[in-house]
Amino acid sequence: MGLGLRHVAVVVTCWILMLCSVFETSYGSKTRHYKWEVEYMFWSPDCKESIVMGINGQFPGPTIRARAGDTIAVELTNKLYTEGVVIHWHGIRQLGTPWADGTASISQCPINPGETYLYRFKVDKAGTYFYHGHLGMQRSAGLYGSLIVDVADGEKEPFHYDGEFNLLLSDWWHRSVHEQEVGLSSRPLRWIGEPQTLLINGRGQFNCSLAAHFSNGSAEQCKLRGNEQCAPQILHVQPNKTYRLRIASTTALASLNLAVKNHKMVVVEADGNYVQPFEVDDMDIYSGESYSVLLTTNQDPSYNYWISAGVRGRKPATPPALTLLNYHPTSASKIPLSPPPITPRWDDYDHSKSFSNKIFALMGSPKPPTNFHRRLTLLNTQNTINGFTKWAINNVSLTLPPTPYLGSIKYGLKDAFDQNGPPENFSNEYDVMKPPVNANTTLGSGVYMLGLNTTVDVILQNANAIRPNLSEIHPWHLHGHDFWVLGRGEGKFTKEDEKKFNLKNPPLKNTAVIFPYGWTALRFVADNPGAWAFHCHIEPHFHIGMGVVLALGVETVGNIPNQALACGLTGKRFMNPKQN
Amino acid sequence: MGLGLRHVAVVVTCWILMLCSVFETSYGSKTRHYKWEVEYMFWSPDCKESIVMGINGQFPGPTIRARAGDTIAVELTNKLYTEGVVIHWHGIRQLGTPWADGTASISQCPINPGETYLYRFKVDKAGTYFYHGHLGMQRSAGLYGSLIVDVADGEKEPFHYDGEFNLLLSDWWHRSVHEQEVGLSSRPLRWIGEPQTLLINGRGQFNCSLAAHFSNGSAEQCKLRGNEQCAPQILHVQPNKTYRLRIASTTALASLNLAVKNHKMVVVEADGNYVQPFEVDDMDIYSGESYSVLLTTNQDPSYNYWISAGVRGRKPATPPALTLLNYHPTSASKIPLSPPPITPRWDDYDHSKSFSNKIFALMGSPKPPTNFHRRLTLLNTQNTINGFTKWAINNVSLTLPPTPYLGSIKYGLKDAFDQNGPPENFSNEYDVMKPPVNANTTLGSGVYMLGLNTTVDVILQNANAIRPNLSEIHPWHLHGHDFWVLGRGEGKFTKEDEKKFNLKNPPLKNTAVIFPYGWTALRFVADNPGAWAFHCHIEPHFHIGMGVVLALGVETVGNIPNQALACGLTGKRFMNPKQN
């Protein structure tokens, strides 16, 4: 049997120990200290050994658990031999601490090999977050983990649950990220291809299927003892209880759909913000997003049930990730009665939109200002520049400079990046349904300088990629702020569309998707001084230019750690030893 | 046929173009400027594609050609995404420019991604040199090239030749250096194994043999058109001429033996110093060494002849590297009459010693002082520390700190490295013929502080490795200075051995080997202020601790570029922006 008795015993033990250690180290003082070391290690995320970027010998990295209002202090030591490193705390707004946002070239210099950087920041808002590398393709290399913020002491969540599970979703390639990077900067482009494996909490199975019992195909059944690094973490539940599943996606590429066989899910949180609860059979989740769903164990407890996460939005070449919902006292080795949920067709975008359209802010959530001061309309195109394939925003493909923006803006170093702001709009004539004709696309490093405390609208406009009849999904993630998702639509955004904006209960999020050939409208109040990335969260897309940089109120930012400035032009300018 | 007509034509063309461009760009002004960009690229050094660290799109990097007395100015831009980079100019003493020695953690901070560092230094002495990465295992990743210094205008070499060829030898692995690094720091150690391929000027053949015609074995013959990245560079010669072969080894691991079928070689230069000419049939060359040999084309010109380089000192699992000596007007596609030279047995150390013992300084070369001020006796052992396999010198395994020594010594930053100097000697009781018993081996970062202008002796003492009955070859390379090789012997060095030192005409070198269970005695005048690495040039050995750091006269060093100090504790100390 693939999932034997020994398997169950071991997994149960691990699970209990994990929870214990979290509780033990997490609750107590208001400042939570962590000492982390980042290094490559041999690991078998999908039963095949690779080198993986781990933290303190763990992959994924340790889970941070805190309460709203706590301060997190992570002393991050770079134990890599040749690479710099940074960590971005995805979804944490870094109010007043823009130098702790962990974005190379934007908020700080990469931490050099052997050096330690202190990330010290407040987690002001309860929710489901995660963290990940933000230099080169280090997220894809495995540098990520969960960050869970509970409500402050004495506060209550606006929903009830009896227990919870953390499902951090990712995708995994066998080709090294260094090789992937070279392919992306090659002329012609060599695309990274679809992932070999999808992972749940860093665990997947490449050469075998957990569900092979049910398959009439040729998939080989997994022979797992249960203590392998790639063995699934099984969700052990009691009957007739309600569980909170905290689901986050840190995939490099894949858009996913998650479902639990025979069980409904009630969505209650998105990107660290409460939403009006709504029930679904399955849910889409894009890279950079997080959700909490409530699942009630109201099914026949003498069976187990498959949990499945499969690829959406790209023709899948990767089998779904699987694990089990195991009802007490049924043995976890008992095979479910029915096969895993089937992921909706990859190109059934109506299904995806229907899910997105159900998300509204919980009553009582902050409402958007009714007016905006400035609107950026950002055309997303795929282009070639001198034969190199790039993604561009309004014809500019972002090239990150060696001097981080936060420092170069603060100190007025005009040589550090393009001083002309990038375009705020694109030509009215542009046909978003056709391959790009914008021959004048360039590389650029300009910044959108925003007025402090102004209200900014962003219209993300999707378009046809280079290949005819292809438009891709792009989940855009904003650093330093949440935004309201005011609306989305098909084709090119027009002034008319504005009338349909939802200003009553739009959801607050930090990541929002644009669907093929469509647009998505966002609004946010630019109230957090700093230099902030706003980019497609698909890592290889961002790597070849799919992002912009926003900056606001940088002149008011003090206390940038020297270490965050010790590279590039700020390093040159401010290094001042007295030499003979 | 493996080597067809088209092959010949193309190789000839390349060869001519290469020489042309070298001459065109090299001669002229006394300062030679280069703008280099380091990046990973797809390349097929041995007919199998990998990612390789290249410079300006070339592998190996461009050849620098200069005249003695010239200044070299290389503006090196790091185009890697996540890795730092440095380049060491191997054999160049960096008189007065210790910050240009290109050793991470010792002479400078790694150059950050996107940044440029100016290496500006004088090449004061004619000779055959090379350059390579000196951070992590970046040499192994392919970051190397040749540096040839001709005699100054109006000067003459002490020997005649009609033409010359450059043979840069290296070894190549298919496993990425990142994976190799993880293996070396794993517990238990995962050794990198023998190289897949040996390369001559960055070219080798993995899956086939150039010499398969002559093999009775199963080796497949190479089907090369001649324009492949892995096709050999053929040496096209005229009959009855004398050619200078400049042979340098930048292998990560392999000790090599080079021979040209039917041809004698007269050795005239070693490590950029003239030697008393001596004739050999074949020559050993260790990683870090360079030689010039004169070869007279006095064989039957109607044939071609194999040039072969094979592994010595480790049981070989790698086929020899091959190329051809092609006599004009014989077609390069004509197969040699006789098979390639056979590499002497890997463990025929008498053969190796016999070669080394023939090397004496050319008459008129500088002689060593007859007395020394200080003697360091350095025991080379393989050890385990907490289960990690390390190499150690007098029980200390070198761990490189994040702050480069040059800066931390100059500015007295006592927290930057161990302030206790490492041991000058080892216990008299230590049995070099047996596996190590030094249980108190530690990691360390201490420095041997030498008095400026003192004469220093170093006795490199080899010993048994961890495995019984095994002692390995280690080529030790000194930065910033040449040393005289005063002698070598078997077993443990004793006071008596001193009497046999050659003080009359010992060769000046920068790299010297210790043979299994033997010792080698070196002497040098510590007259070049700076912080200098002295280490086993086998890259994976140095990576796990096989080296020491020497420092002298650092207080007299001025003008260290700020960029060389902008990391670690010097970065912290001297970054001083005026913040609000």
Side-chain angles (χ1 to χ4, degrees):
Chain A
M1 290 288 275
L3 299 160
L5 256 183
R6 185 164 161 215
H7 170 56
V8 184
V10 174
V11 171
V12 174
T13 312
C14 296
W15 191 251
I16 292 170
L17 283 178
M18 221 188 79
L19 284 175
C20 291
S21 76
V22 166
F23 285 120
E24 183 182 271
T25 59
S26 294
Y27 292 101
S29 131
K30 288 283 189 179
T31 298
R32 299 174 190 274
H33 291 277
Y34 300 86
K35 282 194 183 213
W36 284 3
E37 295 186 343
V38 175
E39 60 190 327
Y40 281 110
M41 55 191 192
F42 289 115
W43 203 267
S44 304
D46 63 351
C47 308
K48 188 177 176 304
E49 193 183 70
S50 302
I51 58 169
V52 174
M53 225 171 239
I55 296 174
N56 291 357
Q58 299 176 44
F59 168 77
T63 295
I64 290 182
R65 185 121 206 168
R67 282 194 184 278
D70 283 354
T71 295
I72 305 293
V74 178
E75 279 178 62
L76 188 74
T77 299
N78 178 357
K79 301 286 275 186
L80 308 168
Y81 291 106
T82 56
E83 297 186 50
V85 79
V86 293
I87 288 187
H88 169 58
W89 315 93
H90 186 110
I92 306 301
R93 289 174 294 170
Q94 302 292 351
L95 299 172
T97 53
W99 52 80
D101 194 43
T103 45
S105 289
I106 301 173
S107 65
Q108 70 170 110
C109 297
I111 308 165
N112 296 315
E115 296 193 43
T116 302
Y117 186 81
L118 174 63
Y119 287 103
R120 196 186 162 89
F121 56 88
K122 224 170 187 164
V123 289
D124 63 307
K125 198 155 56 77
T128 303
Y129 306 102
F130 52 102
Y131 60 84
H132 58 78
H134 215 293
L135 168 62
M137 303 262 286
Q138 290 183 345
R139 172 154 57 96
S140 211
L143 186 54
Y144 46 74
S146 295
L147 197 175
I148 307 298
V149 182
D150 289 304
V151 291
D153 240 341
E155 303 272 308
K156 274 193 171 168
E157 302 273 12
F159 41 83
H160 161 83
Y161 52 99
D162 304 298
E164 67 170 75
F165 295 96
N166 212 6
L167 300 177
L168 182 62
L169 309 177
S170 59
D171 42 9
W172 187 249
W173 280 256
H174 290 163
R175 199 175 284 253
S176 80
V177 293
H178 300 98
E179 208 169 326
Q180 291 182 40
E181 282 173 3
V182 180
L184 290 170
S185 8
S186 286
R187 184 167 49 175
L189 177 93
R190 296 202 204 171
W191 177 243
I192 62 165
E194 298 302 312
Q196 271 65 59
T197 310
L198 300 176
L199 308 179
I200 301 176
N201 293 337
R203 293 152 178 269
Q205 298 79 35
F206 170 62
N207 261 329
C208 60
S209 167
L210 287 179
H213 289 279
F214 305 95
S215 140
N216 296 323
S218 58
E220 206 201 328
Q221 182 192 336
C222 287
K223 305 265 187 324
L224 294 169
R225 293 188 311 276
N227 59 348
E228 293 87 355
Q229 289 170 343
C230 63
Q233 279 182 351
I234 292 175
L235 279 59
H236 302 283
V237 294
Q238 301 288 333
N240 297 312
K241 299 279 182 190
T242 298
Y243 291 91
R244 178 180 191 167
L245 307 187
R246 295 178 178 271
I247 303 159
S249 172
T250 183
T251 55
L253 174 63
S255 303
L256 298 173
N257 181 278
L258 183 132
V260 184
K261 191 72 179 189
N262 284 20
H263 291 75
K264 305 270 185 197
M265 297 179 286
V266 175
V267 181
V268 293
E269 180 216 343
D271 295 0
N273 294 290
Y274 297 121
V275 300
Q276 200 62 43
F278 63 99
E279 191 180 77
V280 290
D281 289 314
D282 60 84
M283 53 168 296
D284 280 342
I285 180 164
Y286 304 95
S287 177
E289 288 190 322
S290 64
Y291 289 98
S292 285
V293 302
L294 302 179
L295 175 143
T296 300
T297 47
N298 54 11
Q299 296 300 299
D300 184 344
S302 58
Y303 291 104
N304 296 318
Y305 301 87
W306 288 110
I307 302 172
S308 167
V311 173
R312 305 294 321 279
R314 306 181 65 90
K315 201 170 173 183
T318 317
L322 294 174
T323 187
L324 281 178
L325 190 71
N326 165 235
Y327 272 69
H328 184 83
T330 300
S331 159
S333 65
K334 185 169 177 183
I335 293 302
L337 193 61
S338 41
I342 290 167
T343 303
R345 249 189 82 96
W346 69 274
D347 55 357
D348 181 357
Y349 293 111
D350 287 343
H351 189 94
S352 312
K353 290 168 192 170
S354 147
F355 176 76
S356 292
N357 291 338
K358 284 178 187 147
I359 306 174
F360 298 104
L362 185 66
M363 226 186 311
S365 301
K367 285 187 182 188
T370 48
N371 294 307
F372 62 92
H373 297 97
R374 185 168 169 195
R375 174 174 288 171
L376 307 175
T377 307
L378 304 181
L379 175 68
N380 289 231
T381 57
Q382 196 183 26
N383 302 76
T384 53
I385 303 179
N386 299 326
F388 294 98
T389 299
K390 298 284 179 186
W391 287 94
I393 306 309
N394 290 349
N395 282 342
V396 179
S397 180
L398 180 64
T399 308
L400 290 172
T403 315
Y405 290 97
L406 184 62
S408 53
I409 296 171
K410 165 90 184 169
Y411 296 105
L413 305 187
K414 297 195 187 302
D415 295 333
F417 59 91
D418 297 347
Q419 292 298 301
N420 293 326
E424 312 246 324
N425 212 321
F426 62 96
S427 155
N428 238 333
E429 274 84 61
Y430 192 89
D431 186 347
V432 299
M433 306 305 287
K434 293 205 180 133
V437 287
N438 27 356
N440 57 348
T441 302
T442 57
L443 302 176
S445 60
V447 174
Y448 293 102
M449 298 287 184
L450 307 180
L452 187 57
N453 296 320
T454 57
T455 300
V456 179
D457 271 18
V458 177
I459 312 295
L460 290 166
Q461 177 66 57
N462 210 340
N464 200 101
I466 289 178
R467 182 145 62 86
N469 302 313
L470 175 71
S471 181
E472 298 187 14
I473 276 182
H474 303 288
W476 276 76
H477 171 61
L478 176 61
H479 292 229
H481 303 78
D482 287 342
F483 50 66
W484 290 276
V485 184
L486 300 186
R488 59 174 66 78
E490 312 289 322
K492 208 193 291 190
F493 176 82
T494 66
K495 199 81 184 129
E496 282 301 294
D497 290 317
E498 213 172 313
K499 295 178 186 158
K500 290 173 281 176
F501 280 178
N502 173 12
L503 298 177
K504 209 187 82 199
N505 59 356
L508 265 171
K509 296 195 85 233
N510 59 55
T511 304
V513 76
I514 45 174
F515 289 110
Y517 302 109
W519 56 263
T520 297
L522 316 174
R523 180 167 294 176
F524 68 99
V525 179
D527 56 4
N528 187 16
W532 306 106
F534 178 42
H535 62 99
C536 175
H537 207 259
I538 292 176
E539 196 172 41
H541 286 184
F542 180 51
H543 192 69
I544 54 175
M546 198 165 208
V548 299
V549 176
L550 314 173
L552 51 130
V554 174
E555 66 285 354
T556 71
V557 174
N559 303 319
I560 305 173
N562 286 353
Q563 210 184 336
L565 301 165
C567 64
L569 296 181
T570 38
K572 224 168 243 177
R573 173 90 151 241
F574 296 120
M575 271 299 296
N576 188 25
K578 305 256 174 305
Q579 296 211 2
N580 5 354
Chain B
M1 290 289 273
L3 299 160
L5 255 183
R6 188 164 158 212
H7 170 57
V8 183
V10 173
V11 170
V12 174
T13 314
C14 296
W15 192 249
I16 292 169
L17 283 177
M18 220 189 80
L19 285 174
C20 292
S21 76
V22 165
F23 285 120
E24 185 182 272
T25 58
S26 293
Y27 293 102
S29 133
K30 289 286 192 180
T31 296
R32 299 173 189 278
H33 291 277
Y34 300 85
K35 281 192 182 215
W36 284 3
E37 295 186 342
V38 176
E39 59 188 328
Y40 282 109
M41 54 191 194
F42 290 114
W43 202 267
S44 303
D46 65 350
C47 308
K48 186 177 176 306
E49 192 181 73
S50 301
I51 58 169
V52 174
M53 225 172 238
I55 296 175
N56 291 357
Q58 298 175 42
F59 168 75
T63 294
I64 289 183
R65 184 120 203 166
R67 283 194 183 280
D70 283 355
T71 295
I72 306 293
V74 178
E75 280 178 62
L76 187 75
T77 299
N78 178 357
K79 301 286 274 187
L80 308 169
Y81 290 105
T82 56
E83 296 186 50
V85 80
V86 293
I87 288 187
H88 169 59
W89 315 91
H90 186 108
I92 306 300
R93 288 173 296 169
Q94 302 291 352
L95 299 172
T97 53
W99 53 80
D101 193 44
T103 44
S105 289
I106 300 173
S107 66
Q108 70 170 113
C109 297
I111 308 165
N112 295 315
E115 296 194 42
T116 301
Y117 186 81
L118 174 63
Y119 286 103
R120 197 185 162 88
F121 56 89
K122 226 172 186 162
V123 289
D124 63 307
K125 197 153 57 76
T128 303
Y129 305 102
F130 52 102
Y131 60 83
H132 58 78
H134 216 293
L135 168 62
M137 302 262 288
Q138 290 184 343
R139 172 154 58 95
S140 211
L143 187 54
Y144 46 75
S146 294
L147 196 174
I148 308 296
V149 182
D150 290 304
V151 290
D153 241 342
E155 304 271 310
K156 275 191 170 169
E157 302 272 13
F159 41 82
H160 161 82
Y161 52 99
D162 303 297
E164 66 169 76
F165 295 96
N166 212 5
L167 300 177
L168 182 62
L169 310 178
S170 59
D171 43 9
W172 187 249
W173 279 255
H174 291 164
R175 198 175 284 254
S176 80
V177 293
H178 300 97
E179 209 170 324
Q180 291 181 41
E181 282 173 1
V182 180
L184 291 170
S185 7
S186 286
R187 185 168 47 178
L189 176 94
R190 295 201 204 172
W191 177 242
I192 62 166
E194 298 302 311
Q196 270 66 62
T197 311
L198 300 177
L199 309 179
I200 301 176
N201 293 334
R203 291 152 178 270
Q205 299 79 37
F206 171 62
N207 261 330
C208 60
S209 166
L210 288 178
H213 290 277
F214 305 95
S215 141
N216 296 322
S218 58
E220 205 200 332
Q221 183 192 337
C222 287
K223 305 262 186 324
L224 293 170
R225 293 187 314 276
N227 58 349
E228 293 88 354
Q229 288 169 344
C230 64
Q233 279 183 351
I234 291 174
L235 279 59
H236 303 283
V237 295
Q238 302 287 333
N240 297 312
K241 299 278 183 194
T242 296
Y243 291 90
R244 178 181 191 167
L245 307 187
R246 294 177 179 271
I247 303 159
S249 172
T250 182
T251 55
L253 174 63
S255 303
L256 298 174
N257 180 277
L258 184 129
V260 184
K261 190 74 180 186
N262 286 20
H263 290 74
K264 305 271 183 198
M265 297 179 286
V266 175
V267 181
V268 293
E269 181 215 344
D271 295 1
N273 294 291
Y274 297 123
V275 300
Q276 201 62 45
F278 63 100
E279 192 180 76
V280 290
D281 290 314
D282 61 84
M283 53 168 294
D284 279 342
I285 180 165
Y286 304 95
S287 178
E289 288 191 321
S290 64
Y291 289 98
S292 284
V293 302
L294 302 180
L295 175 144
T296 301
T297 48
N298 53 10
Q299 295 299 299
D300 184 344
S302 58
Y303 291 103
N304 295 318
Y305 301 87
W306 287 112
I307 301 172
S308 166
V311 172
R312 304 293 322 279
R314 307 180 64 89
K315 200 169 176 184
T318 318
L322 294 174
T323 187
L324 282 178
L325 189 71
N326 165 234
Y327 273 70
H328 185 80
T330 301
S331 160
S333 66
K334 186 168 176 184
I335 291 301
L337 194 62
S338 40
I342 289 168
T343 303
R345 251 189 81 95
W346 69 274
D347 55 356
D348 180 358
Y349 291 113
D350 287 342
H351 189 95
S352 311
K353 290 169 192 169
S354 147
F355 176 76
S356 292
N357 290 338
K358 286 180 187 146
I359 307 175
F360 298 104
L362 185 65
M363 224 186 311
S365 301
K367 286 188 180 185
T370 48
N371 294 308
F372 62 92
H373 296 99
R374 185 168 169 194
R375 176 173 286 168
L376 306 176
T377 307
L378 304 182
L379 176 69
N380 289 231
T381 56
Q382 195 183 27
N383 303 77
T384 52
I385 302 178
N386 299 326
F388 295 100
T389 299
K390 298 284 179 185
W391 288 93
I393 307 307
N394 291 350
N395 283 342
V396 179
S397 180
L398 181 63
T399 309
L400 291 171
T403 314
Y405 289 97
L406 184 62
S408 52
I409 296 171
K410 165 89 184 166
Y411 296 105
L413 305 186
K414 297 196 186 301
D415 294 334
F417 60 91
D418 297 345
Q419 293 297 301
N420 293 327
E424 312 246 325
N425 211 322
F426 61 96
S427 158
N428 239 332
E429 274 83 61
Y430 193 88
D431 186 347
V432 300
M433 307 305 287
K434 295 207 179 131
V437 287
N438 27 357
N440 57 346
T441 302
T442 56
L443 302 176
S445 61
V447 174
Y448 292 102
M449 298 288 185
L450 306 179
L452 188 56
N453 297 318
T454 57
T455 300
V456 178
D457 271 18
V458 176
I459 312 295
L460 290 166
Q461 177 65 59
N462 210 339
N464 199 102
I466 288 177
R467 184 145 59 87
N469 302 313
L470 176 72
S471 181
E472 298 187 15
I473 277 182
H474 303 288
W476 276 77
H477 171 62
L478 177 60
H479 292 230
H481 303 78
D482 288 343
F483 49 68
W484 289 275
V485 184
L486 300 187
R488 58 173 66 79
E490 313 289 324
K492 208 194 293 189
F493 176 82
T494 66
K495 199 81 182 130
E496 281 301 295
D497 291 317
E498 214 172 314
K499 296 179 186 158
K500 290 172 280 177
F501 280 179
N502 173 11
L503 298 176
K504 210 186 80 194
N505 60 355
L508 266 170
K509 295 194 86 234
N510 61 55
T511 304
V513 75
I514 44 174
F515 289 111
Y517 302 110
W519 56 264
T520 297
L522 316 174
R523 180 166 294 176
F524 68 99
V525 179
D527 57 3
N528 187 17
W532 307 106
F534 178 43
H535 61 99
C536 175
H537 207 258
I538 292 176
E539 197 173 42
H541 286 184
F542 180 51
H543 193 69
I544 54 176
M546 199 167 205
V548 299
V549 176
L550 312 175
L552 50 131
V554 173
E555 64 286 354
T556 71
V557 175
N559 302 320
I560 305 172
N562 286 353
Q563 210 182 335
L565 300 166
C567 63
L569 295 182
T570 39
K572 223 168 244 177
R573 173 89 149 241
F574 296 120
M575 272 297 297
N576 190 22
K578 304 260 175 306
Q579 296 212 5
N580 8 351

